[in-house]
Amino acid sequence: MDAIISVLEKNGLVTAFAVIGILMYVSYVISKKLTRGRVHGSAIAIILGLVLAYIGGITTGGDKGLADLSIFAGIGIMGGAMLRDLAIIATAFGVHLEEVKKAGLSGILSLFVGIASSFLIGVLIALAFGYTDAASLATIGAGTTTYIVGPVTGAAVGASSEVIALSIAAGLIKAILIMIATPFIAKYIGLNNPRSAIVYGGLMGSTSGVAGGLAATDPKLVPYGAMTATFYTGLGCLLAPSILFLAVRAVFGA
């Protein structure tokens, strides 16, 4: 057993891929057997991943979740920004430019409407929970757009670590809700073609949530929704710490 553990520790990234592969398999089995596909396997995998991260953090007292256990250290690399960005870029290669052109102005407008509406909802929620300073309001509002924009904004405007953590949590909840709800609402909003997927990705914004939700709806739509959702994240990182933060500070003060 010691020899096996030693091999797994020395090949951390390979171990990480094996662990995630097993987790995904179990998640899709649960999705098929217990929910009959109504809750996508990706959503279940995210929930299980959060549970394992919590267990890892409680067990080791660290701050990297399961990656704090030496045998699972490779998960910290696999879940890092490098492979995440590679996956997003690889997904975008499935897009046909002709379909993108059809979205036209509506696709561009969806990005700005999606960011502004999500940010506003986040600010209102933060106000309801007693936050009144501009930095906290803007950070939580940015987190409601995506869990990437939240910490970027928090670091830029000087928000506390607790508020940044809340912004990440808000973004994760949004991603999971999008992933679960998309297959249920797709037929009611006409989400059945590349153009609508582009607009949907721009309005919702969460790359993981949109990709998972569209995969459960129609896998062919995933690249289109993921493409605008990726632009959404980049645009959010530009607007939230600057224009949107200044607007919040103008209304609520420093």
Side-chain angles (χ1 to χ4, degrees), residues 159-170:
S160 66
S161 58
E162 291 82 3
V163 170
I164 292 175
L166 284 175
S167 74
I168 296 173

Side-chain angles (χ1 to χ4, degrees), residues 51-64:
V51 171
L52 290 176
Y54 174 78
I55 294 173
I58 292 296
T59 303
T60 64
D63 57 1
K64 296 180 180 179

Side-chain angles (χ1 to χ4, degrees), residues 100-192:
V100 176
K101 292 178 182 178
K102 291 179 183 178
L105 184 61
S106 58
I108 297 174
L109 288 177
S110 69
L111 291 169
F112 290 94
V113 172
I115 290 172
S117 58
S118 293
F119 185 87
L120 178 60
I121 290 172
V123 169
L124 293 176
I125 292 174
L127 280 172
F129 279 90
Y131 291 96
T132 56
D133 62 291
S136 296
L137 292 172
T139 301
I140 295 175
T144 311
T145 60
T146 78
Y147 56 80
I148 296 175
V149 178
V152 169
T153 301
V157 302
S160 66
S161 58
E162 291 82 3
V163 170
I164 292 175
L166 284 175
S167 74
I168 296 173
L172 284 173
I173 292 172
K174 176 185 176 181
I176 294 172
L177 289 176
I178 292 173
M179 201 175 293
I180 293 173
T182 300
F184 293 100
I185 66 174
K187 63 180 180 180
Y188 300 107
I189 62 174
L191 188 55
N192 54 12

Side-chain angles (χ1 to χ4, degrees), residues 44-58 66:
I44 297 175
I46 288 179
I47 294 172
L48 292 178
L50 291 173
V51 171
L52 290 176
Y54 174 78
I55 294 173
I58 292 296
L66 206 59

Side-chain angles (χ1 to χ4, degrees), residues 9 18 27 35 39 49 87-88 131 154 191 196 210 216 218 250:
E9 289 178 348
S27 299
T35 72
V39 179
I88 292 172
Y131 291 96
L191 188 55
S196 62
V210 168
D218 184 351

